[in-house]
């Protein structure tokens, strides 16, 4: 399958590009970016060619991999779907419900496949944990923490990201936390009072969700903790006991993104939607928008 890579930032360089180049069933057709010089430089690095416009790259590919800010990604993905291209997207798919809904509707109308890259759902050990807990009944409570030092003093390639600075950890790492809690606990109720939230220091946000199953979850996210306080954790408690998310390890993003490519190829072959498709991406956006409203 011929992929067009859209985006030239750290994530495109560290995950999307290398995984697409190495994948035995993928061909990297080219790169487009908002800055032509950055697209040309990344294309040279990856051994492919830069494109001057998204539409020109659409013509030469079967699928798109998008590594752009969410509110740039969403309208671009709508255009790609309308052109008949399968979608490999990043989370969140958008930071507004209308934009996410427009994308989900465009995918449905075009009949293309979609996969959203929630990293933990494509990392072997954590994906296996989510699957096992989703097959277990009786969970009553869940919690997740994703505390990072992106703006807390770490030497991070994402510290220069304008959209992360504007939207904060709620929209950047909140999707990761939801991606591991929603499958075992079920969908979240968005009725009045079902979503509660509070701000903490920096961009720290904590929120409590009531799930339609009757379970409750608590999530805390931050990009402004010091490096010594950073960490990722998740836990479920119920009649089966206590289950804790395994550590991610330090293997980097290329292997998980390779699994996301596999998932998209499988969805195209079988016609079966992946659990992390744009409809799931839409639901995550709806929940985070409700958290944002609760904060306001």
């Amino acid at each position: 399958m011929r992929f067009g890579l859209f985006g030239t930032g750290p994530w495109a360089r560290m995950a999307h590009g290398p995984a697409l180049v190495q994948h035995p069933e993928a061909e990297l057709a080219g790169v487009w970016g908002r800055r032509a010089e950055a697209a040309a430089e990344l294309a040279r690095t990856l051994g492919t060619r830069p494109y001057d416009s998204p539409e020109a790259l659409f013509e030469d590919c079967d699928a798109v991999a998008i590594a752009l800010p969410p509110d740039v990604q969403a309208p671009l993905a709508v255009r790609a779907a309308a052109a008949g291209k399968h979608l490999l997207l990043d989370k969140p798919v958008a930071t507004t419900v209308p934009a996410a809904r427009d994308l989900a509707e465009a995918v449905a109308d075009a009949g293309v496949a979609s996969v959203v890259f929630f990293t933990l759902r494509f990392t072997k050990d954590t994906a296996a944990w989510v699957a096992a807990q989703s097959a277990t009944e009786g969970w009553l409570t869940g919690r997740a923490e994703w505390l990072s030092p992106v703006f807390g003093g770490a030497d991070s390639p994402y510290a220069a990201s304008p959209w992360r600075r504007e939207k904060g950890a709620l929209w950047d790492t909140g999707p990761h936390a939801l991606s591991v809690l929603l499958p075992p606990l079920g969908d979240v109720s968005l009725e009045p009072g079902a979503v509660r939230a509070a701000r903490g220091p920096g961009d720290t946000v904590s929120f409590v969700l009531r799930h339609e199953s009757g379970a409750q979850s608590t999530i805390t996210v931050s990009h402004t903790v010091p490096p010594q306080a950073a960490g990722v954790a998740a836990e479920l408690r119920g009649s089966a006991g206590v289950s804790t998310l395994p550590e991610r390890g330090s293997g980097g993003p290329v292997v998980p993104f390779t699994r996301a490519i596999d998932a998209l190829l499988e969805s195209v072959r079988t016609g079966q939607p992946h659990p992390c498709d744009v409809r799931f991406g839409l639901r995550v956006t709806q929940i985070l928008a409700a958290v944002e409203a609760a904060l306001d």
Side-chain angles (χ1 to χ4, degrees), residues 36-73:
E37 63 276 14
E41 190 275 328
L42 181 56
R44 284 194 298 270
T45 299
L46 298 175
T48 187
R49 57 169 289 197
Y51 279 73
D52 294 331
S53 72
E55 282 70 24
L57 185 47
F58 291 160
E59 290 183 4
D60 287 348
C61 69
D62 308 302
V64 300
I66 301 182
L68 289 164
D71 294 327
V72 178
Q73 169 179 252

mmCIF file of all heavy atoms in Angstrom, residues 36-73:
data_model
loop_
_atom_site.group_PDB
_atom_site.id
_atom_site.type_symbol
_atom_site.label_atom_id
_atom_site.label_comp_id
_atom_site.label_asym_id
_atom_site.label_seq_id
_atom_site.Cartn_x
_atom_site.Cartn_y
_atom_site.Cartn_z
ATOM 1 N N ALA A 36 7.659 23.974 2.944
ATOM 2 C CA ALA A 36 8.221 23.208 1.830
ATOM 3 C C ALA A 36 9.648 22.758 2.109
ATOM 4 O O ALA A 36 10.035 21.634 1.753
ATOM 5 C CB ALA A 36 8.171 24.044 0.548
ATOM 6 N N GLU A 37 10.439 23.609 2.767
ATOM 7 C CA GLU A 37 11.830 23.237 3.011
ATOM 8 C C GLU A 37 11.921 22.078 4.004
ATOM 9 O O GLU A 37 12.781 21.194 3.876
ATOM 10 C CB GLU A 37 12.643 24.435 3.511
ATOM 11 C CG GLU A 37 12.206 25.024 4.841
ATOM 12 C CD GLU A 37 11.070 26.028 4.746
ATOM 13 O OE1 GLU A 37 10.414 26.086 3.684
ATOM 14 O OE2 GLU A 37 10.853 26.748 5.742
ATOM 15 N N ALA A 38 11.039 22.042 4.993
ATOM 16 C CA ALA A 38 11.041 20.938 5.947
ATOM 17 C C ALA A 38 10.598 19.647 5.276
ATOM 18 O O ALA A 38 11.144 18.569 5.549
ATOM 19 C CB ALA A 38 10.126 21.259 7.129
ATOM 20 N N ALA A 39 9.622 19.735 4.374
ATOM 21 C CA ALA A 39 9.176 18.550 3.639
ATOM 22 C C ALA A 39 10.295 18.012 2.759
ATOM 23 O O ALA A 39 10.497 16.792 2.660
ATOM 24 C CB ALA A 39 7.943 18.884 2.805
ATOM 25 N N ALA A 40 11.026 18.897 2.122
ATOM 26 C CA ALA A 40 12.121 18.465 1.254
ATOM 27 C C ALA A 40 13.223 17.793 2.069
ATOM 28 O O ALA A 40 13.777 16.760 1.655
ATOM 29 C CB ALA A 40 12.681 19.666 0.486
ATOM 30 N N GLU A 41 13.533 18.358 3.236
ATOM 31 C CA GLU A 41 14.587 17.779 4.068
ATOM 32 C C GLU A 41 14.185 16.410 4.597
ATOM 33 O O GLU A 41 14.989 15.461 4.584
ATOM 34 C CB GLU A 41 14.891 18.736 5.225
ATOM 35 C CG GLU A 41 16.136 18.378 6.024
ATOM 36 C CD GLU A 41 15.847 17.362 7.115
ATOM 37 O OE1 GLU A 41 14.726 17.373 7.661
ATOM 38 O OE2 GLU A 41 16.741 16.546 7.417
ATOM 39 N N LEU A 42 12.945 16.261 5.066
ATOM 40 C CA LEU A 42 12.493 14.970 5.576
ATOM 41 C C LEU A 42 12.404 13.947 4.455
ATOM 42 O O LEU A 42 12.756 12.770 4.648
ATOM 43 C CB LEU A 42 11.142 15.114 6.273
ATOM 44 C CG LEU A 42 10.558 13.840 6.881
ATOM 45 C CD1 LEU A 42 11.521 13.203 7.874
ATOM 46 C CD2 LEU A 42 9.216 14.121 7.539
ATOM 47 N N ALA A 43 11.952 14.371 3.282
ATOM 48 C CA ALA A 43 11.881 13.458 2.143
ATOM 49 C C ALA A 43 13.261 12.915 1.790
ATOM 50 O O ALA A 43 13.418 11.719 1.503
ATOM 51 C CB ALA A 43 11.251 14.160 0.940
ATOM 52 N N ARG A 44 14.273 13.767 1.829
ATOM 53 C CA ARG A 44 15.638 13.303 1.569
ATOM 54 C C ARG A 44 16.053 12.276 2.615
ATOM 55 O O ARG A 44 16.644 11.237 2.291
ATOM 56 C CB ARG A 44 16.611 14.478 1.563
ATOM 57 C CG ARG A 44 16.580 15.338 0.330
ATOM 58 C CD ARG A 44 17.788 16.259 0.255
ATOM 59 N NE ARG A 44 17.827 17.188 1.389
ATOM 60 C CZ ARG A 44 17.252 18.377 1.385
ATOM 61 N NH1 ARG A 44 16.575 18.789 0.327
ATOM 62 N NH2 ARG A 44 17.342 19.157 2.452
ATOM 63 N N THR A 45 15.772 12.551 3.859
ATOM 64 C CA THR A 45 16.142 11.641 4.935
ATOM 65 C C THR A 45 15.494 10.275 4.754
ATOM 66 O O THR A 45 16.118 9.231 5.013
ATOM 67 C CB THR A 45 15.740 12.237 6.290
ATOM 68 O OG1 THR A 45 16.424 13.475 6.476
ATOM 69 C CG2 THR A 45 16.071 11.292 7.435
ATOM 70 N N LEU A 46 14.244 10.270 4.304
ATOM 71 C CA LEU A 46 13.484 9.022 4.186
ATOM 72 C C LEU A 46 13.619 8.368 2.810
ATOM 73 O O LEU A 46 13.044 7.299 2.578
ATOM 74 C CB LEU A 46 12.001 9.295 4.479
ATOM 75 C CG LEU A 46 11.686 9.800 5.891
ATOM 76 C CD1 LEU A 46 10.215 10.155 6.006
ATOM 77 C CD2 LEU A 46 12.066 8.751 6.946
ATOM 78 N N GLY A 47 14.336 9.004 1.915
ATOM 79 C CA GLY A 47 14.531 8.422 0.584
ATOM 80 C C GLY A 47 13.311 8.484 -0.293
ATOM 81 O O GLY A 47 13.071 7.581 -1.104
ATOM 82 N N THR A 48 12.526 9.540 -0.173
ATOM 83 C CA THR A 48 11.341 9.699 -1.000
ATOM 84 C C THR A 48 11.313 11.118 -1.536
ATOM 85 O O THR A 48 12.335 11.815 -1.517
ATOM 86 C CB THR A 48 10.067 9.354 -0.188
ATOM 87 O OG1 THR A 48 8.941 9.353 -1.063
ATOM 88 C CG2 THR A 48 9.855 10.331 0.960
ATOM 89 N N ARG A 49 10.181 11.586 -2.025
ATOM 90 C CA ARG A 49 10.108 12.905 -2.642
ATOM 91 C C ARG A 49 9.112 13.790 -1.919
ATOM 92 O O ARG A 49 8.133 13.321 -1.337
ATOM 93 C CB ARG A 49 9.701 12.787 -4.115
ATOM 94 C CG ARG A 49 8.385 12.069 -4.346
ATOM 95 C CD ARG A 49 7.886 12.190 -5.777
ATOM 96 N NE ARG A 49 7.429 13.531 -6.086
ATOM 97 C CZ ARG A 49 6.655 13.827 -7.147
ATOM 98 N NH1 ARG A 49 6.295 12.867 -7.991
ATOM 99 N NH2 ARG A 49 6.266 15.059 -7.360
ATOM 100 N N PRO A 50 9.349 15.106 -1.929
ATOM 101 C CA PRO A 50 8.383 16.041 -1.353
ATOM 102 C C PRO A 50 7.301 16.388 -2.374
ATOM 103 O O PRO A 50 7.518 16.295 -3.587
ATOM 104 C CB PRO A 50 9.240 17.262 -1.026
ATOM 105 C CG PRO A 50 10.307 17.241 -2.092
ATOM 106 C CD PRO A 50 10.583 15.785 -2.378
ATOM 107 N N TYR A 51 6.152 16.788 -1.852
ATOM 108 C CA TYR A 51 5.038 17.213 -2.707
ATOM 109 C C TYR A 51 4.667 18.648 -2.362
ATOM 110 O O TYR A 51 4.760 19.071 -1.210
ATOM 111 C CB TYR A 51 3.828 16.295 -2.517
ATOM 112 C CG TYR A 51 3.932 15.008 -3.298
ATOM 113 C CD1 TYR A 51 4.804 14.006 -2.899
ATOM 114 C CD2 TYR A 51 3.180 14.796 -4.450
ATOM 115 C CE1 TYR A 51 4.914 12.813 -3.612
ATOM 116 C CE2 TYR A 51 3.279 13.618 -5.171
ATOM 117 C CZ TYR A 51 4.145 12.628 -4.749
ATOM 118 O OH TYR A 51 4.250 11.464 -5.473
ATOM 119 N N ASP A 52 4.190 19.367 -3.384
ATOM 120 C CA ASP A 52 3.857 20.774 -3.197
ATOM 121 C C ASP A 52 2.469 20.984 -2.616
ATOM 122 O O ASP A 52 2.196 22.053 -2.072
ATOM 123 C CB ASP A 52 3.942 21.517 -4.544
ATOM 124 C CG ASP A 52 5.365 21.564 -5.090
ATOM 125 O OD1 ASP A 52 6.309 21.546 -4.263
ATOM 126 O OD2 ASP A 52 5.526 21.622 -6.321
ATOM 127 N N SER A 53 1.586 19.998 -2.762
ATOM 128 C CA SER A 53 0.219 20.171 -2.280
ATOM 129 C C SER A 53 -0.328 18.839 -1.788
ATOM 130 O O SER A 53 0.100 17.769 -2.263
ATOM 131 C CB SER A 53 -0.684 20.708 -3.394
ATOM 132 O OG SER A 53 -0.927 19.697 -4.377
ATOM 133 N N PRO A 54 -1.271 18.868 -0.849
ATOM 134 C CA PRO A 54 -1.892 17.612 -0.410
ATOM 135 C C PRO A 54 -2.559 16.860 -1.559
ATOM 136 O O PRO A 54 -2.444 15.632 -1.650
ATOM 137 C CB PRO A 54 -2.918 18.076 0.628
ATOM 138 C CG PRO A 54 -2.382 19.363 1.148
ATOM 139 C CD PRO A 54 -1.724 20.012 -0.036
ATOM 140 N N GLU A 55 -3.240 17.588 -2.434
ATOM 141 C CA GLU A 55 -3.958 16.921 -3.517
ATOM 142 C C GLU A 55 -3.019 16.180 -4.459
ATOM 143 O O GLU A 55 -3.347 15.094 -4.952
ATOM 144 C CB GLU A 55 -4.797 17.946 -4.299
ATOM 145 C CG GLU A 55 -6.090 18.351 -3.622
ATOM 146 C CD GLU A 55 -5.876 19.200 -2.373
ATOM 147 O OE1 GLU A 55 -4.805 19.852 -2.260
ATOM 148 O OE2 GLU A 55 -6.782 19.207 -1.511
ATOM 149 N N ALA A 56 -1.847 16.737 -4.692
ATOM 150 C CA ALA A 56 -0.885 16.053 -5.550
ATOM 151 C C ALA A 56 -0.431 14.746 -4.919
ATOM 152 O O ALA A 56 -0.286 13.723 -5.612
ATOM 153 C CB ALA A 56 0.315 16.955 -5.820
ATOM 154 N N LEU A 57 -0.241 14.742 -3.603
ATOM 155 C CA LEU A 57 0.156 13.513 -2.932
ATOM 156 C C LEU A 57 -1.010 12.532 -2.849
ATOM 157 O O LEU A 57 -0.803 11.316 -2.957
ATOM 158 C CB LEU A 57 0.707 13.832 -1.540
ATOM 159 C CG LEU A 57 1.283 12.670 -0.716
ATOM 160 C CD1 LEU A 57 2.237 11.802 -1.536
ATOM 161 C CD2 LEU A 57 1.973 13.198 0.536
ATOM 162 N N PHE A 58 -2.232 13.033 -2.676
ATOM 163 C CA PHE A 58 -3.400 12.142 -2.689
ATOM 164 C C PHE A 58 -3.421 11.311 -3.971
ATOM 165 O O PHE A 58 -3.741 10.123 -3.960
ATOM 166 C CB PHE A 58 -4.709 12.940 -2.614
ATOM 167 C CG PHE A 58 -4.963 13.631 -1.303
ATOM 168 C CD1 PHE A 58 -5.860 14.696 -1.242
ATOM 169 C CD2 PHE A 58 -4.333 13.242 -0.134
ATOM 170 C CE1 PHE A 58 -6.122 15.343 -0.050
ATOM 171 C CE2 PHE A 58 -4.574 13.889 1.070
ATOM 172 C CZ PHE A 58 -5.467 14.945 1.109
ATOM 173 N N GLU A 59 -3.085 11.941 -5.089
ATOM 174 C CA GLU A 59 -3.153 11.256 -6.386
ATOM 175 C C GLU A 59 -2.178 10.094 -6.476
ATOM 176 O O GLU A 59 -2.407 9.150 -7.227
ATOM 177 C CB GLU A 59 -2.883 12.249 -7.522
ATOM 178 C CG GLU A 59 -3.993 13.269 -7.729
ATOM 179 C CD GLU A 59 -3.716 14.193 -8.900
ATOM 180 O OE1 GLU A 59 -2.688 13.973 -9.589
ATOM 181 O OE2 GLU A 59 -4.520 15.111 -9.136
ATOM 182 N N ASP A 60 -1.090 10.152 -5.689
ATOM 183 C CA ASP A 60 -0.037 9.139 -5.802
ATOM 184 C C ASP A 60 -0.007 8.164 -4.629
ATOM 185 O O ASP A 60 0.970 7.419 -4.472
ATOM 186 C CB ASP A 60 1.330 9.827 -5.912
ATOM 187 C CG ASP A 60 1.539 10.481 -7.265
ATOM 188 O OD1 ASP A 60 0.737 10.208 -8.188
ATOM 189 O OD2 ASP A 60 2.487 11.279 -7.405
ATOM 190 N N CYS A 61 -1.047 8.153 -3.793
ATOM 191 C CA CYS A 61 -1.034 7.236 -2.650
ATOM 192 C C CYS A 61 -2.391 6.567 -2.473
ATOM 193 O O CYS A 61 -3.397 6.988 -3.057
ATOM 194 C CB CYS A 61 -0.621 7.967 -1.368
ATOM 195 S SG CYS A 61 -1.823 9.164 -0.762
ATOM 196 N N ASP A 62 -2.389 5.493 -1.686
ATOM 197 C CA ASP A 62 -3.614 4.762 -1.356
ATOM 198 C C ASP A 62 -4.109 5.110 0.043
ATOM 199 O O ASP A 62 -5.287 4.915 0.361
ATOM 200 C CB ASP A 62 -3.359 3.251 -1.392
ATOM 201 C CG ASP A 62 -2.703 2.805 -2.694
ATOM 202 O OD1 ASP A 62 -3.299 3.062 -3.756
ATOM 203 O OD2 ASP A 62 -1.604 2.218 -2.639
ATOM 204 N N ALA A 63 -3.197 5.561 0.891
ATOM 205 C CA ALA A 63 -3.514 5.867 2.286
ATOM 206 C C ALA A 63 -2.652 7.030 2.737
ATOM 207 O O ALA A 63 -1.596 7.298 2.156
ATOM 208 C CB ALA A 63 -3.257 4.651 3.178
ATOM 209 N N VAL A 64 -3.118 7.708 3.796
ATOM 210 C CA VAL A 64 -2.345 8.819 4.342
ATOM 211 C C VAL A 64 -2.022 8.537 5.801
ATOM 212 O O VAL A 64 -2.822 7.934 6.529
ATOM 213 C CB VAL A 64 -3.100 10.161 4.211
ATOM 214 C CG1 VAL A 64 -3.385 10.476 2.758
ATOM 215 C CG2 VAL A 64 -4.393 10.155 5.025
ATOM 216 N N ALA A 65 -0.829 8.942 6.216
ATOM 217 C CA ALA A 65 -0.431 8.933 7.616
ATOM 218 C C ALA A 65 -0.214 10.386 8.000
ATOM 219 O O ALA A 65 0.605 11.078 7.382
ATOM 220 C CB ALA A 65 0.846 8.128 7.818
ATOM 221 N N ILE A 66 -0.959 10.859 8.994
ATOM 222 C CA ILE A 66 -0.951 12.280 9.314
ATOM 223 C C ILE A 66 -0.303 12.499 10.673
ATOM 224 O O ILE A 66 -0.728 11.936 11.679
ATOM 225 C CB ILE A 66 -2.374 12.864 9.288
ATOM 226 C CG1 ILE A 66 -2.993 12.655 7.893
ATOM 227 C CG2 ILE A 66 -2.346 14.341 9.640
ATOM 228 C CD1 ILE A 66 -4.385 13.230 7.732
ATOM 229 N N ALA A 67 0.731 13.346 10.690
ATOM 230 C CA ALA A 67 1.435 13.726 11.916
ATOM 231 C C ALA A 67 1.433 15.239 11.996
ATOM 232 O O ALA A 67 2.473 15.895 11.870
ATOM 233 C CB ALA A 67 2.860 13.172 11.907
ATOM 234 N N LEU A 68 0.241 15.793 12.205
ATOM 235 C CA LEU A 68 0.037 17.232 12.251
ATOM 236 C C LEU A 68 -0.807 17.583 13.473
ATOM 237 O O LEU A 68 -1.484 16.715 14.033
ATOM 238 C CB LEU A 68 -0.680 17.706 10.973
ATOM 239 C CG LEU A 68 0.149 17.681 9.690
ATOM 240 C CD1 LEU A 68 -0.759 17.776 8.469
ATOM 241 C CD2 LEU A 68 1.165 18.822 9.687
ATOM 242 N N PRO A 69 -0.817 18.840 13.914
ATOM 243 C CA PRO A 69 -1.688 19.218 15.031
ATOM 244 C C PRO A 69 -3.129 18.805 14.747
ATOM 245 O O PRO A 69 -3.576 18.818 13.592
ATOM 246 C CB PRO A 69 -1.533 20.741 15.093
ATOM 247 C CG PRO A 69 -0.175 20.998 14.520
ATOM 248 C CD PRO A 69 0.005 19.973 13.438
ATOM 249 N N PRO A 70 -3.878 18.451 15.784
ATOM 250 C CA PRO A 70 -5.208 17.862 15.561
ATOM 251 C C PRO A 70 -6.156 18.733 14.748
ATOM 252 O O PRO A 70 -6.937 18.208 13.933
ATOM 253 C CB PRO A 70 -5.737 17.628 16.984
ATOM 254 C CG PRO A 70 -4.841 18.409 17.881
ATOM 255 C CD PRO A 70 -3.527 18.495 17.203
ATOM 256 N N ASP A 71 -6.108 20.051 14.944
ATOM 257 C CA ASP A 71 -7.051 20.886 14.223
ATOM 258 C C ASP A 71 -6.566 21.255 12.828
ATOM 259 O O ASP A 71 -7.286 21.914 12.068
ATOM 260 C CB ASP A 71 -7.396 22.122 15.054
ATOM 261 C CG ASP A 71 -8.156 21.721 16.315
ATOM 262 O OD1 ASP A 71 -8.909 20.737 16.258
ATOM 263 O OD2 ASP A 71 -7.969 22.367 17.362
ATOM 264 N N VAL A 72 -5.363 20.819 12.475
ATOM 265 C CA VAL A 72 -4.915 20.802 11.074
ATOM 266 C C VAL A 72 -5.221 19.429 10.479
ATOM 267 O O VAL A 72 -5.643 19.305 9.328
ATOM 268 C CB VAL A 72 -3.407 21.115 10.976
ATOM 269 C CG1 VAL A 72 -2.934 21.047 9.529
ATOM 270 C CG2 VAL A 72 -3.108 22.484 11.569
ATOM 271 N N GLN A 73 -5.010 18.389 11.281
ATOM 272 C CA GLN A 73 -5.255 17.022 10.835
ATOM 273 C C GLN A 73 -6.693 16.800 10.388
ATOM 274 O O GLN A 73 -6.935 16.205 9.320
ATOM 275 C CB GLN A 73 -4.931 16.046 11.974
ATOM 276 C CG GLN A 73 -5.398 14.612 11.721
ATOM 277 C CD GLN A 73 -5.038 13.681 12.851
ATOM 278 O OE1 GLN A 73 -4.152 12.857 12.675
ATOM 279 N NE2 GLN A 73 -5.699 13.808 13.987
#
